[in-house]
């Protein structure tokens, strides 16, 4: 589905089973299966302490800036697939990691010196050991907004418009600091008519999204800075030229339909990101692609499936790989979607046995036998 979950700034402790345990198939009795939940889940800035298991399961779960301490069994189990775990602290667990995508190099492995209230005292190795910015699958999933000001508490809102009619994030916090918001624009012309990447960043670095740039192309970029007093002029324009391909293309990043999407139309449009001369696209009824129903090669990054390719209420799997002069690259991850229910095109049967069993001088009861229909009758209409 297109659901999204974010779990931040919690104390998760003293659970007999799992702090966050992911189950599937309608099962609610924890058995530590670590289900491959496909939905996006962000787990940031939490303290997990003295559980049996800390986190189990998840295929698109991003786990950042958490503390895992004193777990009798396993701190993180089967947080795999596209999941990433980075900048976390592990200490005194039976096992830190079982089958999870942990970035060992970014982590801390020392006693966080937690107080009885699970707070961090001065001198704790966990203080400032996390990250304020993180990019996952080409998108910024963690950034820190800070400011100056005097107040007991602050309301923070992030929106896609200056009227804040479309708020995408909101928080009620108590600790202000200071930072500027930086606008970065990248284009392939000096007039910035064709902008290929534009972002707001709270640091002085920016990573361009996967698939936004092509090989051997000159791009121009500039930066402006903003704070509470306004926005600066753009910087002078700089340019760079991307390198030629040195091997087969990287695996493309599938965009839509999203993994697990439902009610997808039969003439669905598949979209992806990636850099290649052309792309091979496969759609099949099975995840091993033994029963392929559609296959094509295209130089585009989108393809619309022809009519009569798909059937209603059916699961389909799709993947893409790129090709260049060095050969074919790796296939993307495999996404699955489910097509929509068939439309109701059969009208109901004709009503029969009309009658009026009761009437007065001003009213009359009209009755008839119910019509039959393959889906259901929405309503009846009578004419005088």
């Amino acid at each position: 589905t297109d659901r999204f979950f974010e779990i931040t700034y919690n104390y998760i402790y003293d659970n007999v089973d799992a702090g966050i345990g992911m189950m599937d198939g309608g099962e609610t009795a924890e058995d530590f299966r670590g289900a491959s939940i496909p939905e996006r889940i962000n787990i940031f800035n939490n303290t997990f302490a003295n559980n049996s298991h800390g986190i189990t399961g998840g295929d698109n779960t991003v786990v950042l800036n958490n503390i895992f301490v004193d777990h009798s069994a396993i701190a993180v189990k089967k947080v795999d697939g596209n999941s990433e775990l980075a900048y976390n602290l592990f200490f005194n667990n039976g096992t830190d990691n079982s089958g999870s995508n942990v970035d060992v190099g970014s982590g801390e492995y020392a006693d966080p010196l937690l107080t009885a209230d699970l707070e961090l005292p001065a001198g704790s190795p966990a203080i400032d050991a996390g990250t304020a910015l993180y990019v996952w699958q080409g998108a910024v999933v963690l950034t820190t907004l800070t400011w100056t000001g005097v107040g007991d508490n602050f309301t923070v809102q992030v929106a896609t418009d200056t009227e804040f009619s479309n708020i995408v994030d909101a928080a009620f916090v108590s600790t202000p600091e200071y930072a500027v918001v930086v606008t970065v624009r990248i284009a392939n012309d000096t007039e910035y008519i064709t902008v290929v990447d534009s972002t707001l960043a709270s640091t002085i670095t920016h990573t361009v999204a996967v698939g936004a740039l092509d090989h051997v192309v000159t791009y121009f970029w500039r930066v402006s800075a903003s704070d509470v007093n306004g926005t600066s002029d753009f910087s002078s324009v700089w340019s760079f030229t991307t390198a030629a391909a040195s091997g087969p293309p990287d695996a493309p990043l599938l965009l839509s339909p999203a993994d697990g999407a439902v009610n997808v139309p039969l003439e669905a449009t598949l979209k992806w990101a990636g850099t290649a001369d052309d792309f091979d696209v496969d759609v099949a009824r099975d995840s091993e692609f033994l029963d392929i129903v559609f296959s094509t090669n295209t130089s585009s990054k989108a393809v619309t499936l022809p009519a009569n390719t798909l059937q209603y209420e059916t699961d389909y799997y799709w993947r893409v790989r790129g090709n260049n002069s060095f050969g074919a690259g790796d296939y993307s991850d495999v996404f699955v979607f489910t097509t929509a229910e068939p439309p109701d095109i059969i009208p109901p049967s004709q009503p029969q046995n009309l009658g009026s069993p009761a009437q007065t001088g001003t009213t009359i009861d009209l009755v008839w036998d119910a019509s039959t229909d393959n889906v259901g009758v929405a309503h009846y209409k009578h004419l005088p």
Side-chain angles (χ1 to χ4, degrees):
T1 71
D2 59 359
R3 290 177 295 180
F4 170 78
F5 302 90
E6 187 160 282
I7 303 168
T8 59
Y9 297 103
N10 300 282
Y11 297 114
I12 301 175
Y13 63 100
D14 290 348
N15 293 285
V16 173
D17 292 326
I20 298 176
M22 302 191 198
M23 308 290 288
D24 57 4
E27 179 60 57
T28 58
E30 179 65 66
D31 59 9
F32 312 109
R33 67 183 62 180
S36 296
I37 304 301
E39 281 82 4
R40 276 288 314 283
I41 305 172
N42 287 348
I43 303 177
F44 300 160
N45 301 95
N46 303 281
T47 296
F48 294 82
N50 198 36
N51 309 292
S52 170
H53 291 62
I55 302 173
T56 64
D59 269 9
N60 289 284
T61 300
V62 186
V63 183
L64 305 173
N65 298 345
N66 299 280
I67 293 173
F68 296 92
V69 61
D70 296 333
H71 291 85
S72 58
I74 303 170
V76 291
K77 175 184 178 182
K78 293 184 68 175
V79 190
D80 52 11
N82 293 321
S83 299
E84 294 182 13
L85 303 90
Y87 297 95
N88 300 290
L89 182 147
F90 296 91
F91 181 74
N92 198 38
N93 303 296
T95 298
D96 288 339
N97 171 27
S98 175
S100 301
N101 299 335
V102 174
D103 178 11
V104 177
S106 67
E108 290 286 331
Y109 302 89
D111 187 349
L113 307 175
L114 296 177
T115 69
D117 295 327
L118 302 181
E119 297 287 343
L120 297 177
S124 168
I127 295 175
D128 293 331
T131 182
L133 177 70
Y134 196 81
V135 177
W136 174 83
Q137 300 284 301
V140 176
V141 296
L142 175 65
T143 187
T144 300
L145 305 178
T146 54
W147 61 93
T148 56
V150 178
D152 295 330
N153 295 287
F154 300 86
T155 298
V156 183
Q157 294 178 332
V158 180
T160 58
D161 61 298
T162 56
E163 287 73 36
F164 284 79
S165 58
N166 182 31
I167 294 176
V168 296
D169 190 47
F172 185 69
V173 296
S174 60
T175 307
E177 292 178 3
Y178 175 76
V180 297
V181 176
V182 177
T183 299
V184 183
R185 285 186 181 172
I186 302 175
N188 54 19
D189 57 276
T190 55
E191 287 73 37
Y192 287 81
I193 297 172
T194 305
V195 175
V196 298
D197 187 70
S198 182
T199 191
L200 290 178
S202 60
T203 68
I204 57 172
T205 63
H206 168 59
T207 301
V208 180
V210 172
L213 307 181
D214 288 325
H215 290 293
V216 199
V217 175
T218 298
Y219 293 95
F220 303 88
W221 64 289
R222 60 186 182 178
V223 179
S224 69
S226 302
D227 64 10
V228 294
N229 299 308
T231 302
S232 73
D233 293 335
F234 273 107
S235 65
S236 57
V237 176
W238 282 43
S239 67
F240 61 86
T241 300
T242 51
S246 58
D250 292 335
L253 177 67
L254 303 188
L255 300 177
S256 67
D259 193 20
V262 296
N263 295 321
V264 175
L266 296 194
E267 297 182 18
T269 297
L270 311 179
K271 298 180 180 180
W272 60 91
T275 301
D277 294 339
D278 55 75
F279 299 91
D280 296 324
V281 185
D282 295 329
V283 181
R285 290 190 180 91
D286 64 297
S287 58
E288 278 71 46
F289 290 83
L290 302 177
D291 187 9
I292 293 177
V293 299
F294 176 82
S295 183
T296 191
N297 176 268
T298 177
S299 59
S300 176
K301 297 179 184 179
V303 63
T304 299
L305 301 181
N308 303 318
T309 299
L310 307 182
Q311 297 177 341
Y312 290 110
E313 293 184 287
T314 304
D315 291 342
Y316 289 96
Y317 300 82
W318 67 291
R319 64 185 182 182
V320 180
R321 70 177 177 185
N323 305 287
N324 62 18
S325 59
F326 293 92
D330 291 334
Y331 274 108
S332 65
D333 291 334
V334 175
F335 276 16
V336 62
F337 63 85
T338 304
T339 50
E341 297 178 356
D344 184 9
I345 59 175
I346 301 175
S349 65
Q350 184 183 48
Q352 301 292 327
N353 298 322
L354 279 65
S356 54
Q359 52 188 301
T360 69
T362 57
T363 65
I364 185 170
D365 290 341
L366 304 178
V367 298
W368 57 90
D369 290 347
S371 297
T372 59
D373 186 71
N374 64 316
V375 176
V377 177
H379 60 271
Y380 295 92
K381 182 178 182 180
H382 67 85
L383 299 175

